[in-house]
Amino acid sequence: MTNDLLIKHISRNLTFSKTEQEEFCKYFFLESIEKKAFLLQQGQVCKFEGFVVEGCFRIFTIDKKGNENTLYFAAKDWWLMDIDSFMNHKPSDLNIQALENSKVLIISQKDKSTLYDSLPVAEKFFRIMFQKSIVAWQRRLIRNHSLTAKERYSHFIENYPEIASKLTDRQTSSYLGITHEFLSKIKKKSQAQ
Amino acid sequence: MTNDLLIKHISRNLTFSKTEQEEFCKYFFLESIEKKAFLLQQGQVCKFEGFVVEGCFRIFTIDKKGNENTLYFAAKDWWLMDIDSFMNHKPSDLNIQALENSKVLIISQKDKSTLYDSLPVAEKFFRIMFQKSIVAWQRRLIRNHSLTAKERYSHFIENYPEIASKLTDRQTSSYLGITHEFLSKIKKKSQAQ
DNA sequence: GAAAAATGTTGAACAAGTTCAACTCGACTA
DNA sequence: TAGTCGAGTTGAACTTGTTCAACATTTTTC
């Protein structure tokens, strides 16, 4: 079952009964996305939430100067959406693009509200997920303020080696908040040592 | 009642019945904190969650070089805690300090679990709060990557004038991720124009 | 399999932001 | 009342990271 991964993921955080597991999973359907295809493009309203089963995605914005800014990467076991757009029914600033052929368990916005109503423990589950997510955002902000580009790069490849290995330097640099030219220079320097 | 503000705050996001409001509020107690006093210091485990009723707080870390890094400011109507420490019962990296004489509605960790169990709609409420918080963190990260220090400063004082007016330049600069010397130079330049 | 397009590399000039040290000013304290 | 302490200012030298342009290399596309 493709839902096995989702159930395992839930169980890492909370104990669901068999019935609860089934109720939770029944709203999700599996979708395959080809490399380079977009699950969401800026301007669209995000009407789904996704859980990555296979592959990898990049979530990024494009600013006024045309620079891409990567918010995060989502590999297997990660959730995927534009929360702002999803919550407030407004056009998204984000692009969600597959970095390779991928599979995602999708739940529609409508079904998500139904799920919350029918299964109170789903509220608890997502409340915990969101809490964890905040911790990650806070830590990333502190790293951005207190570490140099080189230190952030090292941190990234050490902590997310599987993701890092799938990326082009341009994608990595847009996550770190530096230019790709400078990343190239950082890499050269660390080789030299 | 000191709980009026809390009830108003909830109502902005969700509709609670009178009974639910009472059940929700009964776990909170009001605490007064003097200017410069700490609600939490790094090394301690965060065993509470707070809702600011009056005053203002600064939540910050101190890194290895001794630099202060402000995560956020919490004025009236904001929530206050170290989520990581609270969730995982581990020593906090954060300091929560009152910038002026302040009042906070406090709920203990123990009562928070009781509240979640006794009032399912509390799960929904905090789930929504956390979602909103993530949106704010994501936006801040993008600003940090795509705007200059001067632009971030302008954004801050335009969007949070009440908070900004209470801060010293050192506090502001530690929020923006720059040195206080550089903030001083930014301010001088924008005066000149 | 060739052409086109995107990716990575390098250097030189530049801009943004830091560091350190010296100085001013007010506020609190003995 | 003097003294100290923390906050803000300024300048000079420095470091980090950017920009632009040229070129090499790989990947994609037809």
Side-chain angles (χ1 to χ4, degrees):
Chain A
M1 283 288 297
T2 52
N3 286 347
D4 282 359
L5 197 69
L6 184 53
I7 290 171
K8 251 187 214 167
H9 171 73
I10 296 166
S11 308
R12 239 170 272 140
N13 295 285
L14 221 56
T15 313
F16 272 31
S17 71
K18 262 268 173 293
T19 329
E20 286 167 340
Q21 286 177 9
E22 279 162 23
E23 174 65 18
F24 189 94
C25 290
K26 81 175 191 198
Y27 296 100
F28 290 83
F29 58 93
L30 190 68
E31 200 160 302
S32 295
I33 291 102
E34 283 200 353
K35 182 172 178 170
K36 291 195 178 172
F38 286 86
L39 208 53
L40 180 75
Q41 274 187 291
Q42 61 187 90
Q44 298 174 337
V45 176
C46 180
K47 290 184 179 159
F48 66 90
E49 201 163 328
F51 175 77
V52 182
V53 171
E54 203 183 298
C56 190
F57 291 83
R58 182 166 75 103
I59 294 83
F60 65 100
T61 62
I62 302 175
D63 67 22
K64 288 163 194 168
K65 298 169 202 155
N67 294 319
E68 291 189 1
N69 206 299
T70 298
L71 216 50
Y72 64 101
F73 300 102
K76 205 175 80 170
D77 241 24
W78 285 67
W79 291 90
L80 206 58
M81 68 187 298
D82 178 351
I83 301 189
D84 194 13
S85 174
F86 186 92
M87 276 186 81
N88 302 313
H89 312 283
K90 68 182 205 187
S92 177
D93 295 323
L94 304 185
N95 301 280
I96 303 183
Q97 187 178 26
L99 295 177
E100 52 189 32
N101 293 339
S102 303
K103 286 180 184 167
V104 188
L105 284 168
I106 297 278
I107 182 170
S108 73
Q109 197 169 39
K110 215 175 175 179
D111 286 345
K112 185 96 195 267
S113 340
T114 311
L115 172 60
Y116 279 140
D117 291 339
S118 76
L119 191 68
V121 76
E123 289 278 7
K124 183 182 284 287
F125 172 72
F126 284 104
R127 193 255 303 161
I128 293 171
M129 284 297 97
F130 290 134
Q131 283 182 188
K132 287 190 170 185
S133 174
I134 291 172
V135 172
W137 286 107
Q138 290 184 346
R139 290 197 182 138
R140 179 144 168 231
L141 189 94
I142 290 174
R143 284 198 303 274
N144 271 311
H145 279 178
S146 60
L147 302 183
T148 63
K150 189 181 172 178
E151 289 168 332
R152 274 177 279 147
Y153 174 64
S154 303
H155 179 276
F156 179 61
I157 56 173
E158 278 161 26
N159 287 274
Y160 305 97
E162 340 72 34
I163 293 180
S165 66
K166 292 176 181 174
L167 305 177
T168 66
D169 282 2
R170 285 173 133 88
Q171 290 163 345
T172 305
S173 65
S174 78
Y175 173 83
L176 297 173
I178 57 176
T179 59
H180 65 275
E181 292 99 330
F182 191 55
L183 177 56
S184 175
K185 285 160 195 173
I186 287 174
K187 288 174 77 173
K188 196 188 175 189
K189 266 196 182 174
S190 39
Q191 274 176 5
Q193 286 161 0
Chain B
M1 284 288 298
T2 52
N3 285 348
D4 282 358
L5 196 69
L6 183 53
I7 291 171
K8 252 187 214 168
H9 171 74
I10 296 166
S11 309
R12 238 171 272 140
N13 295 284
L14 221 55
T15 313
F16 273 31
S17 72
K18 262 268 172 295
T19 328
E20 286 168 340
Q21 286 176 10
E22 279 162 23
E23 175 65 18
F24 190 93
C25 290
K26 82 175 190 197
Y27 296 100
F28 290 83
F29 57 92
L30 191 68
E31 201 160 301
S32 294
I33 289 102
E34 284 199 352
K35 182 172 175 169
K36 292 193 182 175
F38 286 86
L39 207 54
L40 180 74
Q41 274 187 291
Q42 61 186 93
Q44 296 174 339
V45 176
C46 180
K47 290 184 177 157
F48 66 90
E49 200 164 329
F51 176 77
V52 181
V53 171
E54 203 181 297
C56 190
F57 290 83
R58 182 166 75 103
I59 293 84
F60 65 100
T61 61
I62 302 176
D63 68 22
K64 288 164 196 168
K65 299 169 202 155
N67 294 319
E68 291 188 1
N69 206 300
T70 298
L71 216 50
Y72 64 101
F73 300 102
K76 205 174 82 172
D77 241 24
W78 284 67
W79 291 89
L80 206 57
M81 67 188 299
D82 178 351
I83 301 189
D84 194 14
S85 173
F86 186 91
M87 277 186 80
N88 303 313
H89 312 284
K90 68 183 206 187
S92 177
D93 295 323
L94 304 184
N95 301 280
I96 303 183
Q97 187 178 27
L99 295 177
E100 52 189 32
N101 293 339
S102 304
K103 286 179 184 164
V104 189
L105 284 169
I106 297 278
I107 183 169
S108 73
Q109 196 168 38
K110 214 175 175 179
D111 286 346
K112 185 95 196 269
S113 341
T114 311
L115 172 60
Y116 280 139
D117 291 339
S118 76
L119 191 68
V121 77
E123 289 279 7
K124 182 181 283 290
F125 172 73
F126 284 104
R127 193 256 302 161
I128 293 171
M129 285 296 96
F130 290 134
Q131 283 182 189
K132 287 189 170 186
S133 175
I134 291 172
V135 172
W137 286 107
Q138 290 185 346
R139 290 197 182 138
R140 180 145 168 231
L141 187 95
I142 290 173
R143 285 197 302 273
N144 271 311
H145 279 179
S146 61
L147 302 183
T148 64
K150 189 182 172 178
E151 290 168 332
R152 274 177 278 149
Y153 174 64
S154 302
H155 179 275
F156 179 59
I157 56 174
E158 279 161 26
N159 287 274
Y160 305 97
E162 339 73 33
I163 292 179
S165 66
K166 292 175 182 176
L167 305 177
T168 66
D169 281 2
R170 286 173 133 87
Q171 291 164 345
T172 305
S173 65
S174 78
Y175 173 83
L176 297 174
I178 57 177
T179 59
H180 64 276
E181 292 99 329
F182 191 57
L183 177 55
S184 175
K185 285 161 195 173
I186 287 174
K187 288 173 78 173
K188 196 190 175 190
K189 266 197 183 173
S190 39
Q191 273 174 8
Q193 286 162 358

